[in-house]
Amino acid sequence: MPRPVFRFGDLRLDPSARELVRGGEIVSVSPPVFDCLAYLIEHRERAVGRDELIAAVWGRTEIKDDLLAQTLVRARRAVGDTGNEQRAIRTIPRFGYRWIAAVEIDGGAAATNADAGTSTAAAPRAPTEAAAPVEHVAAEPAPAARPSRRRRGLAAAALLLALVGAAALLAIWSDRPRAPRGGAAPRAAASADEVFVVLPVKVADSGREAAWIRLGAMDYIATTLREQAHLRVLPSDAALTLTGARDAAAADSAALQRLAAAAGAAYVVTPHATPTAQGWRLVLDVHHDGHRASYAADGANPLEAAARATSMFLGGLGVPAPSEAASATPAAESAQRIGAALLAGDLGEAHRLIDEVPAALERTPAVRLMIGKVAFRAGHVDEARAIFAPLAADATLPPVERAWAELGLGAIAVRGEDFDAAEREYASAIATLGDPADPYLLGLAYIGRGAADGGRGRAEAALADFGRARAEMERAGNRVSIADIDIDVAQVEANRGRYAEAVATLARAIAALAEFGAQDHLTIALTSQATAELALLDLPAALAASERAWNAGAALENRAIARRAAAVRVRALVASGRLGAAAELIERADPPADGADDAEFAVLRARLALERGDAADAARRAAAAIDRLGAPVAAPGAPADPVELALLALDAAQRRGDRALVQRLLAAAPPARADGARIAAVRTLAEAVALDLGDDAGAGARYADALAAADLSGAPDLVVAAGVAELRYLTARRALDDAMSVLGRLGAYTSSDYAAARAAAAAYRARGERALASASEARAHALAGERDAPAR
């Protein structure tokens, strides 16, 4: 009996036809996304547990949380939902998910409990028995566009192509490519400027091997093409970012064309792996110029089969192939297994795989590098350093392996803020790679050295290195890394007070990342944009950017990125006087019971208390945060920003006359950082407030110094903070002529900043300028939101 068809909103889901339709048009989704939607809808009368959903969709339970989360993100996106809104799919904390949107049944049998308990996941298929090793499978033209009345049938055909085994689907040809009917085979050779992207391997097996083959063999093929055949191949992490998933991209031609356009790629490689009686068969489907060619080979293990198929593909391109024996060793397989777990973000699995590495392979450079990467990702920097250092010093190793070790040492130095050591390590990696070098690795080295330059406050050197990195990533065809470099450049610009330039650079990165669908990278860029807009005191722009960042971050499983996006949203809400919304978001993003160690949110709670008029609570929280400056913070928590904390503490101290809090702040002087100009300005302001609260006659001159330092920092938010503090001081002492001079410096901000407008109103009122005082009070009322506005 056909299963019922479900309607919700403007969508129709037909489980029997496996179609999701909006307004008569097929919505292209991957099989796991479709199965996830169908199962949740069919069981909408109850919450579905996480393990139950995994078993229904994938037919096994060892699927990782990251894969399930990404599938839910795409399922929500397909039906116009988000993790923040949850209008269709609600997350049930610590349990699973439930479909909550209204559903109508359109034809088919009535939905019964028995129907609802039936999984929509496809039944497992028996692997196709392999014939003799295949050297080449013919190219075939991509499907041409059809009239809209036939799109449904074409979509079903494309889905069938994705599900049926490659050996049963394609005719076997001789070792030479032959043009199929109606089209030409892909060109025999790739040009030097063409980009390749390799997608995750589709594995016709549900066992434990499938988990590592999907990403491990993918990375092996991509790395072989890039490092040994010297082709322009997108790194695997960038390819995963572009697919927007870790379970492989949709296989229909339209989806592949969109992916190729986003990547700027001429070749899209979709590998398929199938177990055989003798080992494994691997097929490379190569999509290029509207056609497809396939290369297949057998091997005793997946990497051996991949090496042979890759060699055949390179032969078809006229590119010398690397040695299969040298590239598919047991050490390479162990390294790829661990690397696959890293690509999936599963450190637990990576550690388990390391424990299973045979003793004879554990000391091989490829495996040692992977163990070092896992140690670094897990925060065990001393262990990682002990692994990378001897590899970097071993002149007998190939340059690529030595360079990876030097890059690891550079990253360790950056994490420890030893920027001099970081610069040396990255410069050494650049020298090790030589010329010509793999542009991707060389680009990484320049990015690292640029970060070290920025950490030392050498903005021009940092920008020069980021420029070199951009050139290398363009050579590599890595558009995702180019957008990430724009984020780095924007940070350097912001650190030297050029916030408008930072915003313009971030706008370019955001446009690119939004096109790619790279949600984690996009969230970081939007968070940076909102932070820069807040420094510029452009509250409407900050609210808009922070809302986008929060919505993008809410769908991420990376809690650290999501929390930073929530934090910048809270700042924008508080700055706009939307205190209730800020308090609600703090509790959602940083609930007391979640166990996170987040000093950043502690400061935000203190700022909220201060804006609500509770200076005593704000001062207490600020003191606790000051005592923790520089202390390690466990992931996914974030440390307090010393500038933000200092401004909060100084504001609370001035309101309460709390000189001890200012002295506590000065005693906990933050270490030198890339934003040294900001810290220098805030320290000068703290010294002025301390003198002021101690009735020292030198306070006036020090306030003037603080405002001058804020001007030099180029940060409008610091100019307002220093100017408002000095204006309070001068108004209280009736130095009203001097107060008018300071007020002139704040004039550009009194129409957009609440504190500046309120301080101006008090100064004008003290001077007897009633009209000007009333105008400033009106502006303060307009900007107050839920804060206490001055009397009118």
Side-chain angles (χ1 to χ4, degrees):
M1 182 176 294
R3 291 155 67 187
V5 176
F6 303 101
R7 289 188 179 274
F8 46 95
D10 60 346
L11 289 157
R12 182 173 63 83
L13 185 141
D14 185 343
S16 297
R18 295 189 64 80
E19 291 179 352
L20 179 64
V21 181
R22 176 184 284 113
E25 297 290 332
I26 297 288
V27 178
S28 178
V29 294
S30 66
V33 169
F34 185 92
D35 291 338
C36 181
L37 288 169
Y39 195 82
L40 289 173
I41 292 171
E42 290 181 328
H43 296 79
R44 62 195 178 280
E45 79 284 353
R46 62 178 176 85
V48 175
R50 172 193 166 281
D51 291 341
E52 177 188 348
L53 185 59
I54 288 174
V57 173
W58 284 277
R60 57 190 191 276
T61 59
E62 67 272 16
I63 294 298
K64 304 304 178 186
D65 288 346
D66 186 66
L67 176 55
L68 176 62
Q70 291 293 338
T71 301
L72 262 297
V73 168
R74 293 192 301 283
R76 284 185 167 121
R77 189 181 302 156
V79 299
D81 196 10
T82 69
N84 187 27
E85 296 172 347
Q86 298 195 9
R87 293 175 298 185
I89 302 174
R90 175 180 294 162
T91 300
I92 309 300
R94 303 181 185 277
F95 182 76
Y97 305 90
R98 184 178 182 185
W99 182 271
I100 60 172
V103 174
E104 296 179 0
I105 296 179
D106 180 17
T112 66
N113 289 340
D115 292 329
T118 303
S119 169
T120 63
R125 301 179 184 276
T128 305
E129 190 66 30
V134 182
E135 295 193 6
H136 188 263
V137 184
E140 65 178 48
R146 304 292 189 201
S148 58
R149 62 189 175 86
R150 299 188 60 190
R151 287 178 183 169
R152 179 179 306 175
L154 289 173
L159 184 60
L160 181 63
L161 289 174
L163 294 177
V164 178
L169 214 146
L170 302 173
I172 297 175
W173 293 70
S174 65
D175 60 345
R176 291 188 178 183
R178 287 196 285 172
R181 295 178 184 175
R187 289 197 302 264
S191 66
D193 61 347
E194 289 181 316
V195 176
F196 295 68
V197 59
V198 181
L199 299 188
V201 179
K202 294 183 179 180
V203 187
D205 179 56
S206 60
R208 179 178 164 188
E209 291 289 283
W212 81 266
I213 295 170
R214 178 181 293 109
L215 299 183
M218 164 207 183
D219 187 56
Y220 172 83
I221 295 165
T223 302
T224 299
L225 294 174
R226 185 179 66 251
E227 294 185 0
Q228 298 189 40
H230 307 296
L231 298 175
R232 298 178 68 196
V233 184
L234 215 60
S236 297
D237 55 350
L240 289 174
T241 297
L242 287 173
T243 62
R246 299 190 188 275
D247 62 339
D252 61 274
S253 61
L256 292 174
Q257 289 171 8
R258 289 193 298 270
L259 175 65
Y267 291 82
V268 179
V269 181
T270 56
H272 309 258
T274 306
T276 68
Q278 294 78 30
W280 284 84
R281 164 165 292 187
L282 193 129
V283 180
L284 297 182
D285 283 343
V286 182
H287 305 263
H288 172 65
D289 198 22
H291 298 82
R292 182 181 71 196
S294 295
Y295 304 83
D298 288 350
N301 58 64
L303 292 194
E304 183 177 296
R308 292 175 177 171
T310 303
S311 294
M312 294 172 189
F313 171 39
L314 290 173
L317 294 175
V319 176
S323 168
E324 295 173 13
S327 57
T329 63
E333 179 174 329
S334 291
Q336 291 299 154
R337 285 175 179 267
I338 300 167
L342 278 180
L343 280 172
D346 191 342
L347 287 179
E349 175 69 4
H351 283 295
R352 187 189 66 76
L353 290 168
I354 289 171
D355 290 340
E356 293 183 355
V357 173
L361 301 179
E362 189 175 349
R363 303 304 302 178
T364 59
V367 174
R368 294 297 291 165
L369 281 170
M370 280 299 175
I371 294 174
K373 290 180 182 181
V374 172
F376 178 78
R377 286 274 294 275
H380 304 146
V381 293
D382 290 338
E383 178 185 347
R385 184 185 294 108
I387 292 171
F388 291 142
L391 294 172
D394 189 347
T396 66
L397 290 181
V400 167
E401 291 183 342
R402 288 177 56 202
W404 272 118
E406 289 163 336
L407 292 175
L409 292 173
I412 290 170
V414 168
R415 177 174 287 189
E417 297 190 353
D418 186 352
F419 298 116
D420 290 337
E423 193 279 335
R424 290 193 299 271
E425 294 297 346
Y426 287 120
S428 181
I430 292 168
T432 297
L433 288 168
D435 187 22
D438 175 5
Y440 171 62
L441 282 183
L442 196 54
L444 290 181
Y446 279 123
I447 289 172
R449 196 170 73 173
D453 291 331
R456 295 190 295 175
R458 299 175 55 192
E460 294 301 329
L463 292 175
D465 274 334
F466 289 144
R468 295 186 185 99
R470 176 188 292 277
E472 295 301 330
M473 290 306 181
E474 286 175 347
R475 285 178 56 208
N478 192 342
R479 294 184 176 184
V480 175
S481 288
I482 291 170
D484 287 339
I485 291 169
D486 279 336
I487 299 175
D488 294 330
V489 169
Q491 185 62 55
V492 171
E493 297 288 22
N495 287 343
R496 60 179 181 170
R498 299 176 60 174
Y499 294 98
E501 290 83 351
V503 169
T505 303
L506 286 166
R508 183 170 62 233
I510 288 166
L513 294 168
E515 178 186 354
F516 300 154
Q519 290 298 99
D520 48 354
H521 299 248
L522 176 61
T523 303
I524 292 170
L526 288 167
T527 300
S528 298
Q529 181 190 15
T531 301
E533 300 286 13
L534 284 171
L536 288 169
L537 300 178
D538 188 344
L539 295 187
L543 282 169
S546 67
E547 183 175 24
R548 284 187 68 190
W550 163 239
N551 287 334
L556 298 179
E557 286 299 302
N558 188 319
R559 291 182 62 208
I561 297 176
R563 289 170 75 96
R564 297 307 300 272
V568 79
R569 178 63 175 166
V570 169
R571 291 188 186 94
L573 291 170
V574 169
S576 303
R578 296 169 57 180
L579 306 185
E584 180 182 349
L585 182 51
I586 286 176
E587 294 309 311
R588 287 177 61 189
D590 185 48
D594 76 346
D597 180 21
D598 202 315
E600 181 177 34
F601 273 90
V603 174
L604 292 175
R605 284 187 164 90
R607 171 56 69 181
L608 183 62
L610 188 64
E611 296 300 321
R612 284 176 163 172
D614 192 344
D617 185 41
R620 177 183 61 80
R621 292 177 182 273
I626 289 169
D627 291 342
R628 294 190 56 203
L629 273 177
V633 179
D641 176 67
V643 171
E644 181 182 25
L645 174 56
L647 292 177
L648 163 72
L650 293 175
D651 197 352
Q654 270 199 311
R655 297 191 197 190
R656 299 186 71 240
D658 189 347
R659 187 166 186 261
L661 179 59
V662 183
Q663 292 173 324
R664 196 171 191 164
L665 176 66
L666 287 169
R673 288 166 29 129
D675 52 358
R678 288 176 62 84
I679 287 181
V682 172
R683 183 175 181 85
T684 305
L685 179 58
E687 292 168 353
V689 174
L691 293 172
D692 179 5
L693 297 179
D695 293 324
D696 191 304
R702 203 60 180 147
Y703 272 124
D705 292 340
L707 185 53
D711 273 334
L712 286 175
S713 77
D717 61 336
L718 289 187
V719 171
V720 167
V724 166
E726 184 176 8
L727 200 55
R728 288 175 182 167
Y729 169 81
L730 295 171
T731 302
R733 284 154 183 77
R734 307 294 297 178
L736 299 180
D737 288 341
D738 290 339
M740 291 302 103
S741 176
V742 173
L743 189 52
R745 306 275 288 280
L746 292 180
Y749 308 112
T750 55
S751 62
S752 58
D753 185 82
Y754 168 72
R758 186 163 185 170
Y764 282 131
R765 184 70 64 189
R767 191 178 169 86
E769 309 242 12
R770 294 183 179 179
L772 292 173
S774 295
S776 295
E777 286 163 0
R779 285 194 291 268
H781 272 276
L783 296 167
E786 297 161 30
R787 294 171 287 206
D788 291 333
R792 299 176 65 180

